[in-house]
Amino acid sequence: MASFKPTKIQVYPKLGEKVTQDTLYWKNYKAPVQIKEFGAITNIDFSPVAPHNFAVTAFTRVHIYGPFSQEPVKTFTRFKDTAYSGRFRSDGQLLVAGCEDSVVRLFDVSGKVALRMFKGHTKAVHVTDFTSDGYQILTGSDDYTCRLWDIPNATELNTYQEHTDYIRCGVTSKLNRDLFITGSYDHTLKMFDARLDKSVMTMDHGHPVENLLLYPSEGLLVSAGGRYVKVWDLLKGGQPLVSMKNHHKTVTCLSLGSNGQRLLSASLDRHVKVYNTTNYKVVHNFDYAASILSLGLAPDDESIVVGMTNGILSVKHRKSPEESKETSGQQRRKPSYRVFVKGKNYVPKQDDYLVSKPVKQHLAKYDKQLKRFNVSKALDTALETWLRRRKPEITVAVIKELDRRGTLKNALAGRDEQSLFHLLNFLIGNLVDPRFAPVLVTTAEMILDIYRSVIGQSPVVDRQLLRLQDLLEREIDYQKDLLEVLGMLDTMFASSIPRKEVPCSGISRSNGLGQGEASTSRPQLQAT
Amino acid sequence: MVEHGDIRVVHRGGSKINFREPVITNDSKFLLCASGECVKVFSTSTEECVHDLRGHTDLVTGVIIKPSNHLQAYSCSADGTVRLWDFTDGILIKTYVIGHPIYSIHASASHEGVVFVVTSMHADKRPDLLQLVAVHLPRSGDQMVEARELSAVLSDVSSNPLAIVFGRGGEYIASTKGLKLEVYLFRKQKAYSFFLKEDNKKGRRNTFTCVACHPKDDCIATGHEDGKIRLWRNFNQKKEYTYSTLHWHHSAVSSLCFTPEGTNLLSGGIESVLVQWRYNQEDQREFLPRLGAAITHITVSPDGSLFFTSHSDNKITIIQSCLKVSAAIQGLVKGESVTTDLMMDPRSKSLVLNGKPGHLQFYSLQRDKLLYNLDVVQQEYIHESGLQQFEVVKAAFDASGNWLATVEERKQKGAEVELNLKLWEFDEQTQSFVLNTTISAPHEAQITGMCFCHSTDNQTTMLVSTSKDGHFKAWQLDAQAHTEAADERPSWSCDFVGAYHSLVPECCCFSADGSLLAVSFQEVVTVWSTASWELLTTLSQPPKAIRNLCFGRLSCSKYLLGTTGNNLLCCWNLLTCSLEWSTSMDVSLLLADPISENMAAFCRQAGSTDLFVFKPSEPRPLFSQKAVCPGKVTRAIFAPREEMLESCEESSQWLNRSQLYFLTQHMDLMTFTTKVEEDRLMASSKQLVIDDSVAMTPFYLLLGKHRQQDSGDAQSGISTERTPLPQGSVAIKELLQTPAHVLPSTSFLCSMFVQSLLISVTEPREENKATEEEMESEKEEEDSEEEMESGTTRPEQAPLGRHAAESAAPALTKAQVRELRRVKKLDRSWFAGLLDS
C-alpha cells in the first residue's frame, strides 16, 4: 500500500534581480519624502559639517534643508534670474551660487543678503566652487571662460579662455588650493593650475561633459557626459581607465557613496545607478518618476536626495538599525518545535536494538481534505486568506490538482456570496500572472458557467465580475501590444542576420526544398 | 516458422499473472496462477515462482485445487483439455480431453469425480452461447483420457469465472449473466432465475459483475456495474426472495469474496480499495486504500489468515487478515500500449518501459522479475475510469546511465496539452534516480522524439527533443560555475532551438561520436553540427515522410539510415552526402545494435512481420527470418549480453554479443535464442532445481543437498548424482561462495579439510579403485537414466538438459576426470564428517 502523495506545489523561478548584499543595503531606505520646488532642481550640495544640511538650487532660489526637515531652514531669494550651483564652503559657513544673469553671489549661511557679488562674466554662470583654502572662488560660465576670484576683496584673479563651448561643470581639488578641473560642452576636461596661465592637462570625453567628480584621493577623476560615465587616471596623465554605458539617456549627475566604495550616477532616463568602484559593475538601481538633474548623498549614505526636472525633490532616509531589525524579526519563526523534540534527539548506542517506528506522514490541511476526497473543503482551505495572499502558487496548485481529478466543477459549485467573492478576488489578483494563467483561465470559465444563472442577484459578485471583465480586456490589449513589438523585433532580427547558403546534396537540391535557410534563434527559456 | 534451425523465437517472461483468480493451496504455501499457456506456482513466503506447469497448448483459463486431494490441481484451457497436476513437484498427472474450448472450471467437495466447466457445446461454436457442463472424469490409468460423460447444468452462462460460484459446500450453484441471477439447487434439481430491472437512471447500470456465496449461510452476494453489492436471501423459491443493497464503490464491483468462516465479505473494484464488510453488520466496514491498481480478483486462504488480491497492473498482493499488506508478486506491467520505447538501463541492464500509470518499470530480463517502479509523475493516482491522467510518453537514458529523461503528458479535451520534461540523476547512495530538473511546458505541442547524445568522451551531456510545434530543442546541463549558491545543484537548461521551414520534426538521432545530429522534418533529413549548431546538410528521399532514422555504429558510422513512408529503406553516406543504396521494404521498425555494426529492420509483409539483420556496409543481410510473428512489431531492443556466446555459425553470430527482444502486437515479449544458449540455460536451470517446500537459504544450499546425497547414495542416483563442474566440486564452490558468517569457524573447517587430504595420501590405491568403480557405476546409471527417460512423463526439459550437460563435460582428459573425481570424493568425505560431528 503506497502512502498518499501530497499535492505537488510547482516551484517557480524567482524573477528579478538576485539578492546581494548591495541590494539589501540600498533597499534599506524608508519611503521617500517628496518636496515640491518651483522649478527644475539643478544642484544639490551637502554641507561638509554636521548636521549636514543640504543646499538645493531650484529656479531663482537656493533652499537649505535640515537633515530631517520637510521645510527649508533657510532660503536665499536674492537672485534676479535662475540660480545655479549653490555650494557650501568646507567649513559650512559660506555658500556661493551662480546665476543666469552672470553675477556670482556669496552668502553667509546665517545671513540673508549677499556678502559679495562677483561681476565679470558675460553670460550665465553654471559652475561655482570654493578652492581648498577657502579664500578663492572658481566659476565657469557660458561665455566659455572660467575665472578665479578672491573672496576678501571681490576681485578677479585670473581668467582662462581655453574651452570652446559652455562650461557646465567643474571641481576644485580638496588637497591642493591651486588645482581645479573644468568640463565643457566642447567634450573636453581641462585641469588648470592657478600658478600657471594655461591648462596642465586635457582629456577628451567624447561627449558634452555634464558633471565631474574627484575621488577623495584625487588620483581618479570621474566625468559624465552623454550616456557615458568615464573614469580617468590623473596620476598617469589623464589616461582613460573605464568607460561605462549603463544609462540610455544623458547622465547628469555623479556622486560617491559608502566612503568612496560606491559610485552613483543619475540620468535623464530616471534611473540612479550604483556602481562598485572596484570593478565598475552596476550593483543596484533606483527608479524615479521623472528625469533626474541633480543627486546628493549624505555622508555615510544617511540619505539620498534627488532633484528632478519636474521640480520634485525626493529625500530618502536610511532606516535606523532598530527599524530594519524589526521587519526581519517578524519573519522569523518561533522555535516552538524544540518543545516537542522530547526524546527524539536520543542517539542510539552501539548495542541498542533499534525498533523502527513508522514515520507519520505530515500532510498539509488541503492535502488532508484531498485525501478524503472533500474537494470543496480542500478548495476552501487553499483559499484561506493567508495562503491566497502570501502563497498563491499553493492555491493554484490545489486548483490544478482538483482539475486533474476532474472534480474542480464540484469544488467550485455551491458557494455562497462571501466565498465566491473571495474566489473572484483571488482570480482578479492572479489571473494575468503568466505562471498561473493556464489554470486560472479554465477556473474562471467554469465559475462563469456555474454561476451564470445567478448573475444579477448579488451586487458584490456583480462588481467583481465587472472587474474581472475589465482586467481581461486590459490584458488582451496588452498582449496585442506585446505581439506587435515581437513582430517588429522579428523583422529587425531577420534583417540583421546575414543570409547563409546551406550546402545541399544533389538529391535534396532536386526536390526544390534544398535551398533552405534554417531559422534559428537562441532560446530565452527558463528551466524550473 | 523457423527458417534457421538454430535460431528460434521464444517467449521471454513478462506473462500475465492476473488473468484469472489466483488459487491458494490448503496449506497456504503456494499460489497457482494461470499465466498464458502455463500455470505458475508461486511460493507465498518468498514470492518466487517455483514451478511452471507447462503442457497446455492454448491459453489457460482456469485453475482449481482438486477437492478430494489438496495436493493436486485441475487446470482448464482454451485448447479443450482439463489437466490434473501435482503442483508441489510440477508433474502432469492426467489429461482429460473435452474437445471444446473451456472458459472456466469449477468444482466442489460434494461432487466427487465431477468438474464443472463452462464451454460452448454448440456445433457453430458461438462464443456467446455458453453452457455450464458437468464433466464426469473417468477413472482410468491412462495419461490421456477422453471425457465423454458430459451433462449440461445451466445454459446461457457468462464466460467470466467470477460469475459462477458454488454455495454452501456445493448445495447449489449461482450464476449471473447480464441482469439475471440463476440459482440451481442440486438437491431439488431445479433452477430459479431472478431478474433485475434495467435501470438507466443517471447512466447507472444494474448488470451483474461478480457473485459470491456465503459458506455457512444461504446468502448470495452479487456485485454490480454501478458499484452496488446486493445480498440475496431466501432464494430457494421463486416469489419471496429478498435482497438488501450495500453501496460504497463508485464504479463497478469487480470481485467479491467471503472469508471461510463467513464473518466478512471482501469487495474490490477499480478504486483499488479493498473493502471488508462485516457480515450482518454491513455498516461496519474497513478499508485498505491505495493498493496501486484496480482490483480484479480477491481470494482468501482456506484458513482465512491471508487475502490475495490480483490487480490490473499484473500484480498479486498478499494481505494479512488484519488488512496489512505483507508482500506483492509483481509481473511485467503491460498497459494498452508501450508509449515509451523499450530501453535498456545501462547500469542494471534491465528493460525499461512505461508500466503503471505515471511510472517507469525496470524489468530484469535475466531473472524475469520486476526490479522496481520509478514514480515519474509523483502525483496521487485517482482510480477512476475516464479521467485524463499524466502518462509517461517518452524516456531516454544517456550512455552511462547517469541521466534519465522522461516526458509526461496529459491531454485534456478542449485544453492545451500539459507537458513536463523531467531529468533524473542516478544517485549512487540510494541506487535510484533522483529528480534533478523539471521543465514544465518544454514545447508547445506533443514531443515526438527525444534522445541523448551517446558519446562517452563528451564532457557535457546533451539531450534533444523534437516536437509537433515545429521546433527541436537541445538541452544541456549547466556548468557548475553558473550557479553561485553552493547548495544549488547544476540543472538543465535549453541550449538551442532549431527549426526548418516550419516543418514538423519527427525523429532525431545522434551520431556515435556525438558530433552530428540528424533530425527528420517530414521528408527532409537535416544534419546539424552539435558543436556550432550549424545546419550542415539536408538529405531527402521524397515524396513520403521519414519514419525512422538511425546512424550506423563503429565502422559504419559514416552511414545514416532512414525509412520512408513509401516503403523505402535508404542509406546515405555522410561523407559524400549522397544516397548509398536504397531498397524497397515496408519497414515498421529500424534499430541499431549499440555494440556492433548490426542493424535490425522489422518489415511488414502480408499480415506478419519479417526480420532482417544487416550491416549498412554489406549488401547481403546477415540474417533474415520470415514471419517472425503475426501483426506489426513496433517496439524492439538490442540488449547486450552479460557473457558472450561463442557461436561460429554465420547466421547466429549477430546474437553473440547482444540479444534482440521485441514486443508483438499482443504485447508479448519475445526474443531470439540459439541452440547453444538454450543448452546452457537448461544446464543452469537443472542446477537450480531444489525442493521448494523448504525456504532456500545458503544453509539449505550447503547442507540440505549433501544430506540428500548421503542418504540417497545407496538408492538410484537420479536425484543425487551430478556431474562435477570442471572448475571444482560443487561443495568447494559452495563453501567458497557461502558467506563466511554462516560457516563454522575456519580453524574447525581447516583441520577437517587437512585431515581428509591426509587420508587420501595414505590410501592412494584404494582411492583409485574406488574412482574407477564409481565411473563404471555412473555409466550404468546413465544408461538406466536413458531408459527411464523414455518412460517418464515429466516435461521433457529436465532430462534433455541433463543430457546436454553430461555431453558438455567430456572435453577433459581422462587424468583430469580422475583428478576431479578424487577431489569430489575427498570433499564429500570430510564434509560428511563435518556433518556427523
Side-chain angles (χ1 to χ4, degrees), chain A residues 116-404:
Chain A
R116 297 276 189 283
M117 310 250 277
F118 304 98
K119 293 179 185 167
H121 282 295
T122 54
K123 278 188 179 164
V125 179
H126 280 266
V127 184
T128 58
D129 203 356
F130 293 93
T131 57
S132 62
D133 61 358
Y135 300 127
Q136 290 172 6
I137 286 171
L138 161 75
T139 59
S141 162
D142 285 357
D143 60 5
Y144 308 166
T145 63
C146 60
R147 296 168 199 231
L148 274 178
W149 310 81
D150 187 45
I151 295 172
N153 44 21
T155 53
E156 188 183 314
L157 294 177
N158 211 343
T159 307
Y160 300 92
Q161 288 186 312
E162 290 195 25
H163 284 295
T164 55
D165 207 335
Y166 302 152
I167 297 171
R168 285 288 165 91
C169 56
V171 279
T172 55
S173 163
K174 297 279 180 297
L175 305 176
N176 188 329
R177 50 169 278 209
D178 294 320
L179 282 181
F180 60 91
I181 306 161
T182 54
S184 154
Y185 274 14
D186 64 0
H187 301 187
T188 58
L189 315 166
K190 284 186 190 287
M191 185 186 218
F192 297 95
D193 190 336
R195 293 162 291 195
L196 298 172
D197 277 345
K198 56 184 174 60
S199 63
V200 291
M201 207 184 283
T202 305
M203 290 151 277
D204 186 15
H205 182 84
H207 293 272
V209 185
E210 295 284 352
N211 207 337
L212 282 177
L213 186 75
L214 262 177
Y215 267 65
S217 66
E218 304 201 340
L220 295 178
L221 173 74
V222 188
S223 64
R227 294 164 60 193
Y228 293 88
V229 175
K230 291 187 178 180
V231 183
W232 310 87
D233 192 343
L234 294 179
L235 301 180
K236 282 191 183 166
Q239 198 178 342
L241 204 64
V242 198
S243 172
M244 293 170 274
K245 193 175 115 181
N246 295 97
H247 289 281
H248 52 265
K249 280 188 185 168
T250 305
V251 183
T252 52
C253 204
L254 293 169
S255 181
L256 272 179
S258 311
N259 289 323
Q261 302 285 311
R262 298 285 180 270
L263 173 71
L264 283 82
S265 70
S267 155
L268 293 179
D269 65 3
R270 308 181 310 183
H271 293 300
V272 172
K273 299 211 185 247
V274 183
Y275 305 84
N276 185 339
T277 52
T278 48
N279 54 11
Y280 295 103
K281 288 259 163 65
V282 177
V283 293
H284 195 69
N285 184 31
F286 295 101
D287 290 352
Y288 283 92
S291 300
I292 302 164
L293 287 179
S294 54
L295 165 75
L297 203 62
D300 297 328
D301 307 333
E302 280 306 315
S303 53
I304 301 171
V305 186
V306 163
M308 285 169 271
T309 45
N310 58 0
I312 285 180
L313 181 72
S314 154
V315 185
K316 276 189 193 173
H317 289 289
R318 201 166 180 76
K319 280 181 191 162
S320 57
E322 302 92 66
E323 276 176 304
S324 51
K325 204 175 273 173
E326 230 169 62
T327 52
S328 65
Q330 279 172 348
Q331 285 158 357
R332 204 193 302 147
R333 279 184 62 204
K334 301 280 186 299
S336 57
Y337 177 70
R338 190 165 295 177
V339 183
F340 301 106
V341 295
K342 203 163 45 182
K344 279 186 182 159
N345 48 3
Y346 179 77
V347 181
K349 297 200 178 67
Q350 202 174 12
D351 298 334
D352 287 355
Y353 181 72
L354 216 66
V355 181
S356 60
K357 208 176 82 180
V359 183
K360 204 183 161 204
Q361 192 189 13
H362 174 76
L363 289 178
K365 265 189 201 164
Y366 51 85
D367 272 336
K368 279 182 191 157
Q369 302 288 2
L370 280 175
K371 191 179 171 186
R372 312 184 68 115
F373 289 83
N374 293 338
V375 286
S376 285
K377 279 185 188 160
L379 188 59
D380 285 343
T381 351
L383 278 171
E384 272 172 12
T385 319
W386 184 83
L387 220 52
R388 72 165 191 258
R389 292 261 163 80
R390 287 294 186 80
K391 302 227 155 110
E393 65 266 23
I394 291 182
T395 314
V396 173
V398 171
I399 292 176
K400 201 174 172 184
E401 171 71 15
L402 289 171
D403 186 31
R404 188 180 70 87

Side-chain angles (χ1 to χ4, degrees), chain A residues 1-6 8 10 371 373 400-401 403-406 500 502-505 507-508 511 513-514 516-523 525 527-528, chain B residues 288-290 325 359 375 378-380 382 387 389 410 412 418 437-438 440 473 492 494-497 499-501 524 528 534-538 540 577 579:
Chain A
M1 188 181 79
S3 56
F4 180 82
K5 288 172 200 155
K8 199 128 186 81
Q10 179 109 42
K371 191 179 171 186
F373 289 83
K400 201 174 172 184
E401 171 71 15
D403 186 31
R404 188 180 70 87
R405 290 171 172 230
K500 199 178 65 177
V502 177
C504 304
S505 67
I507 305 157
S508 57
N511 61 38
L513 276 166
E517 181 240 355
S519 61
T520 59
S521 60
R522 287 276 156 187
L525 256 174
T528 57
Chain B
L288 182 63
R290 282 183 289 283
V325 174
H359 288 67
D375 185 1
Q378 296 184 329
Q379 269 178 344
E380 182 76 2
I382 308 300
L387 207 59
Q389 310 258 17
R410 178 171 169 255
Q412 221 182 353
E418 282 179 68
T437 309
T438 307
S440 41
K473 288 183 181 176
W492 288 73
C494 188
D495 183 46
F496 177 73
V497 181
Y500 184 81
H501 284 291
V524 186
W528 305 73
E534 265 180 285
L535 180 60
L536 297 176
T537 186
T538 57
S540 77
C577 290
L579 191 69

Side-chain angles (χ1 to χ4, degrees), chain A residues 475-494:
Chain A
E475 180 66 15
I476 288 166
D477 288 344
Y478 179 58
Q479 295 286 349
K480 261 186 205 157
D481 290 349
L482 283 181
L483 279 176
E484 277 169 23
V485 173
L486 208 63
M488 286 182 230
L489 286 177
D490 271 349
T491 42
M492 274 162 68
F493 282 132

